Amino acid sequence: MSFTLRLLVSCGACYHGRLLLIWSQSVRSLSSGPRISCSLRESYRLLQLPDEGSSSPVQVKEAYLRLAKLYHPDSGAPTADAVLFARVEEAYRAVLAHQSKVKQLSGEKEAEDEDEDKSRGAALQHRHYLSYEGVGTGTPSQRERQYRQIRVDRASEQVLNYRQLEHERAAAGEGALVERDMRQRSRKIKITQAVERLVEDLIQESMARGDFRNLSGAGKPLNKFEHNPYADPMTHNLNRILIDNGYQPPWVVTQRDIREATAQIRNRLLDGRARLSDPVTPRESREWEELCASVEEELVKLNKLVDNYNLIVPMLSMQMVHFSLSREIECAVKGARQRRLQQQTERERERERRKEEKKRANAAAMTKNRKHGLVSWMQNLLR
């Protein structure tokens, strides 16, 4: 009996040990796999994806787009919700980050396994130091990453050196341009000085001949100007001489041309619109369209003149805007309507004036007839 009990106890202990071994192996396998936190599971659940991490990036993106069409505030759908869409977007980013991390870890593990398999070959252990220019330490994959980083650093250094050379060449070219500019300016200064000397010589010759002796204002002081006492007298007198001789700045001439052209175009439109009858006939409509087409061509030329004027005008507040055909036609229509009303009122006034003159003439004729009848009656009575 005692032997049987001992045998049963030993069998039970062996079975219990096997169970413990199987449970520890299962726990070790579970702990070695990728762990998913509760928040990540919630993100998978919110995107309606399985939480085992078996979904591809394409499936994750499709799920995100499907939910975005439902919950985006600007989608116009009845299920739009800004708070829920923010949660969906946050879950999408968390899932993408988790997948990229898992993929990176698996890639590194595979690379290390491959490197270990290669290192177990028949080649000698020191042969791997002959690759990558002998740079780096550690496993071949680690040394390859270090070598790539060194190549990137070399490339960036070469780019910086090239840019520095380009800047030096540009600076040398700018120096040559500056030197050429200085030569041109010195040449212009020499020409200006030569012209000034020539003008001074001509003035001296005229003074020696006595051309300035018979001037009307000889020996008299120059006329003072009181409107601006801070202006330079020389500049003021020069401007007065230019004005007295009919000189006008280019922007003034251009402004006058624009004003005259605008008045001419508006008068053409107003006269053409005023000649039309109140119910416009088809013939008059065609004539009006032809007139508008010709005016449009003239307005294009006028707008180019306005652009040139805006470039040379001295003050920004004096610049002009472009002329619009629709605006000019609208003004012409209003002006024609006002002209018709004025003509109608003038005709009514003329009619009233004629009626009054006719009444006065009739009253004067009746008075004259009465006087003549009274005189004739008196003459008949005296006879």
Side-chain angles (χ1 to χ4, degrees):
M1 186 69 179
S2 61
F3 177 74
T4 306
L5 288 174
R6 289 178 183 175
L7 182 62
L8 288 175
V9 168
S10 62
C11 290
C14 182
Y15 181 73
H16 183 66
R18 289 180 181 178
L19 284 178
L20 288 175
L21 180 61
I22 293 171
W23 180 77
S24 63
Q25 289 178 355
S26 63
V27 168
R28 188 180 303 169
S29 64
L30 288 174
S31 61
S32 63
R35 297 181 180 180
I36 299 177
S37 62
C38 296
S39 61
L40 194 58
R41 288 179 183 175
E42 182 67 21
S43 300
Y44 275 103
R45 187 190 62 78
L46 191 60
L47 292 176
Q48 300 177 3
L49 295 172
D51 56 354
E52 291 83 5
S54 59
S55 302
S56 63
V58 178
Q59 294 175 352
V60 174
K61 187 175 182 180
E62 290 178 355
Y64 169 70
L65 292 177
R66 185 179 65 254
L67 295 175
K69 292 178 182 179
L70 292 175
Y71 303 121
H72 197 279
D74 299 335
S75 62
T79 58
D81 190 356
V83 179
L84 192 55
F85 174 72
R87 291 179 58 192
V88 168
E89 187 174 8
E90 186 178 358
Y92 173 65
R93 292 178 180 176
V95 169
L96 285 182
H98 175 255
Q99 287 188 349
S100 62
K101 185 177 179 181
V102 170
K103 187 175 180 181
Q104 185 178 2
L105 291 175
S106 62
E108 289 180 356
K109 187 175 181 181
E110 290 177 359
E112 290 178 358
D113 293 340
E114 290 178 359
D115 293 339
E116 290 177 359
D117 293 339
K118 290 179 181 179
S119 63
R120 293 194 192 99
L124 297 177
Q125 296 296 324
H126 67 277
R127 289 299 181 117
H128 64 278
Y129 289 105
L130 300 178
S131 60
Y132 309 127
E133 300 179 3
V135 175
T137 57
T139 62
S141 60
Q142 294 175 353
R143 294 181 61 248
E144 183 180 1
R145 286 195 293 271
Q146 295 171 10
Y147 180 66
R148 287 178 182 175
Q149 185 63 36
I150 289 174
R151 290 185 64 185
V152 169
D153 295 339
R154 289 177 184 173
S156 60
E157 186 177 359
Q158 291 177 1
V159 169
L160 290 175
N161 293 333
Y162 176 75
R163 288 181 179 176
Q164 186 176 0
L165 289 175
E166 289 294 325
H167 284 304
E168 291 177 357
R169 292 174 184 172
E174 289 179 359
L177 289 176
V178 169
E179 186 178 355
R180 188 173 62 185
D181 251 354
M182 293 296 293
R183 286 200 300 267
Q184 290 178 356
R185 288 181 183 177
S186 63
R187 190 180 301 126
K188 288 181 181 179
I189 291 171
K190 291 179 181 178
I191 293 172
T192 306
Q193 291 176 355
V195 172
E196 289 178 355
R197 286 198 300 269
L198 178 60
V199 171
E200 186 67 25
D201 293 341
L202 292 175
I203 292 173
Q204 293 296 332
E205 290 177 3
S206 299
M207 291 174 63
R209 288 196 303 267
D211 294 338
F212 299 147
R213 292 176 183 173
N214 298 325
L215 297 177
S216 60
K220 298 179 182 179
L222 294 174
N223 294 328
K224 300 294 183 181
F225 49 98
E226 299 178 355
H227 62 281
N228 189 5
Y230 301 103
D232 184 20
M234 183 63 70
T235 304
H236 173 76
N237 291 324
L238 289 174
N239 291 335
R240 184 174 57 81
I241 292 170
L242 292 174
I243 293 170
D244 293 342
N245 287 276
Y247 173 78
Q248 292 180 348
W251 65 271
V252 174
V253 178
T254 308
Q255 186 183 29
R256 183 189 60 195
D257 295 341
I258 293 172
R259 188 165 53 248
E260 292 177 355
T262 306
Q264 184 180 1
I265 290 172
R266 288 176 178 173
N267 290 332
R268 281 186 59 193
L269 284 174
L270 184 59
D271 295 339
R273 188 68 186 182
R275 284 196 299 268
L276 301 179
S277 56
D278 195 1
V280 181
T281 61
R283 180 181 177 183
E284 292 177 345
S285 178
R286 288 194 298 272
E287 292 178 356
W288 175 250
E289 290 177 357
E290 292 176 358
L291 178 61
C292 291
S294 63
V295 167
E296 186 176 6
E297 295 178 357
E298 293 181 2
L299 283 178
V300 171
K301 299 179 182 178
L302 184 61
N303 288 331
K304 291 182 180 178
L305 194 61
V306 168
D307 291 336
N308 296 333
Y309 169 77
N310 291 335
L311 291 175
I312 61 177
V313 71
M315 290 195 302
L316 188 64
S317 60
M318 297 178 66
Q319 290 186 348
M320 297 182 181
V321 296
H322 282 188
F323 293 92
S324 174
L325 179 62
S326 58
R327 188 167 59 247
E328 298 298 330
I329 290 175
E330 185 178 357
C331 294
V333 171
K334 291 181 181 179
R337 191 181 299 115
Q338 292 178 359
R339 181 181 288 186
R340 290 197 192 98
L341 292 175
Q342 290 177 359
Q343 291 176 356
Q344 187 176 359
T345 54
E346 287 178 359
R347 285 196 296 268
E348 290 178 356
R349 289 176 183 175
E350 185 67 21
R351 195 180 298 114
E352 293 292 334
R353 188 178 61 79
R354 289 179 181 178
K355 286 182 180 179
E356 292 292 333
E357 290 179 354
K358 190 174 181 181
K359 286 181 181 179
R360 290 174 185 172
N362 292 333
M366 289 178 64
T367 305
K368 186 176 180 181
N369 291 333
R370 285 176 184 175
K371 289 181 180 180
H372 182 68
L374 183 59
V375 169
S376 61
W377 180 78
M378 291 293 294
Q379 287 178 355
N380 292 330
L381 184 61
L382 290 175
R383 289 177 185 176

